Amino acid sequence: MTDIVQLSVRSLVEYVFRSGSIESGFRSASSLTDGTKAHQKVQKQYGELDRKEVYLSTEIAYRDLLFVIDGRCDGLLAGTADTVAGSQGLTIDEIKSTAGDLASIDEQSYPVHWAQAKCYAYMIAKEQELGSIGVQLTYVQIASEEQKRFAAELSFQDLELFMLELLQGYYPFAEQKRRHSGLRDASIKALQFPFPVYRAGQRKLAGSVYQSIADGRKLFAKAPTGIGKTISTIFPAVKAIGEGLLQRMMYLTAKTITRTAAEEAYVMLEARGLHMHVVTLTAKDKVCFQEEMNCTREHCPYADGYYDRVNEAMIDMLSQETLLTRSTIERYARKHTVCPFEFSLDAAYAADAVICDYNYVFDPRVQLKRLMEEHKRSTVLLIDEAHNLVDRAREMYSSELKKSDFLAIQREYKGSNSELQRAAKAVNDFFIAVRKEVGDSGVEVKPELPGQLLELLEIFVEHAQSELLAAGG
């Protein structure tokens, strides 16, 4: 029986091209909301027969694996009278939004975007037995709403060859993952609870965790100190992975000491025969190899050429190790000269279990977005001491602005970027006015959002993003 590998177009393209992200320099340079709005504005221009957000899927046998690939293309445009014979005039439209200057983008600037569009084009051409199909990239400048397009007509034979080349690049990782999955599932099936007997309440907690996973329900458990809640939650979740109920588990903590307890639980289970990839995420400033943390190619040899080396590094580590602790990740990062923090994040996408701080799931600024998008329904969150989430959520979803920061930017860019200087000055002036209004009390609480400040900040962000992109930030 041929083993099946299920993955998204996004995962396939990002792995092979290793550009960091399909949206690198695009949606990351603007808010997700702005990116969505830009997509929608383009899609509103579509004709009556054009389709948007089209779900596509295909199966491709490559060597001894069957790849099931799916994704959602931004647009499928209907044909016109002067289309190429055999294409029926269909065109895949892939939309990318950016806060940068469209003049700096040419047809070959982002091969990863072409690759994504070609995957969708292949799926449609195969499904409808087309001899050729159009492929179009539409770039949108968020602030000006200016658009720039590149288009090509590709034959089915060329698209098929391209897909096989992608799978050739992805195959070593898929093969490693297949071997690991077989060993993992067999080890879980034979795995026993790591203690001779359950403590009082332990069996009930473990059973409740497993049943909640099986039923797709949430479970809030209040357990007394000493019951052994860490192993009582991790063990049933591991068993659920072995039964195919889950693909991944994440153990979320607020403290280093409880993170260590989770690592020790997996060590204990591994001693009983468990074969499972478990990665621990550590803050960037704690694992950086450099004396000064400057994540640019010019200043860091571990960042320079990272994506040229990370695939080999990942397969090496996953083939040799199971418990991917900080020390293990650092050892392989040095061996392959890759950034240990980015390496740990990439390992998290490949691992069966992740031990990390709350913010990697709940903080909108640092959460593992692709992991959340693709595996949300097949991932369980084991949240240790969940009562800590209340205070942490206040920090994650609250923001703070300081007048001094805008004054510093106003002075820094005087004479070099007049638009940014003026935007920073406008915000600084707003704070001066508020300070005068507040007076000696020093505090003012309002139930509504400060509309004027929000408008000034939007202008500031627009000019700040342009400056960062121009500087390569």
Side-chain angles (χ1 to χ4, degrees), residues 32-93:
L32 181 60
T33 301
D34 286 340
T36 301
K37 288 180 179 177
H39 276 58
Q40 291 173 345
K41 286 178 181 177
V42 174
Q43 291 170 336
K44 285 181 179 178
Q45 300 170 5
Y46 287 173
E48 185 178 342
L49 299 179
D50 300 333
R51 298 164 60 194
K52 61 182 179 181
E53 304 299 331
V54 182
Y55 175 79
L56 300 170
S57 178
T58 193
E59 296 181 0
I60 306 176
Y62 183 82
R63 295 177 66 170
D64 54 343
L65 297 177
L66 178 64
F67 290 86
V68 179
I69 308 166
D70 69 351
R72 195 175 298 276
C73 73
D74 293 324
L76 179 59
L77 311 184
T80 59
D82 56 351
T83 55
V84 176
S87 71
Q88 295 184 13
L90 294 179
T91 296
I92 291 290
D93 189 25

Side-chain angles (χ1 to χ4, degrees), residues 385-402:
E385 298 184 344
H387 58 274
N388 289 316
L389 265 178
V390 178
D391 288 336
R392 290 291 295 274
R394 289 193 182 101
E395 298 173 8
M396 294 175 187
Y397 295 96
S398 298
S399 58
E400 182 180 85
L401 295 173
K402 295 182 179 180

Side-chain angles (χ1 to χ4, degrees), residues 188-207:
I188 293 175
K189 186 176 182 180
L191 186 66
Q192 299 295 320
F193 191 70
F195 295 101
V197 295
Y198 285 92
R199 295 178 185 176
Q202 232 180 357
R203 183 187 293 275
K204 182 179 180 181
L205 176 57

Side-chain angles (χ1 to χ4, degrees), residues 405-426:
D405 292 336
F406 292 94
L407 178 59
I409 294 173
Q410 174 186 334
R411 291 170 175 171
E412 177 72 22
Y413 287 93
K414 184 177 181 180
S416 62
N417 187 329
S418 59
E419 291 181 327
L420 179 56
Q421 185 265 338
R422 283 195 296 268
K425 182 179 184 301

Side-chain angles (χ1 to χ4, degrees), residues 37 76 97 100 194 214 352 375:
K37 288 180 179 177
L76 179 59
S97 57
D352 306 301
H375 302 288

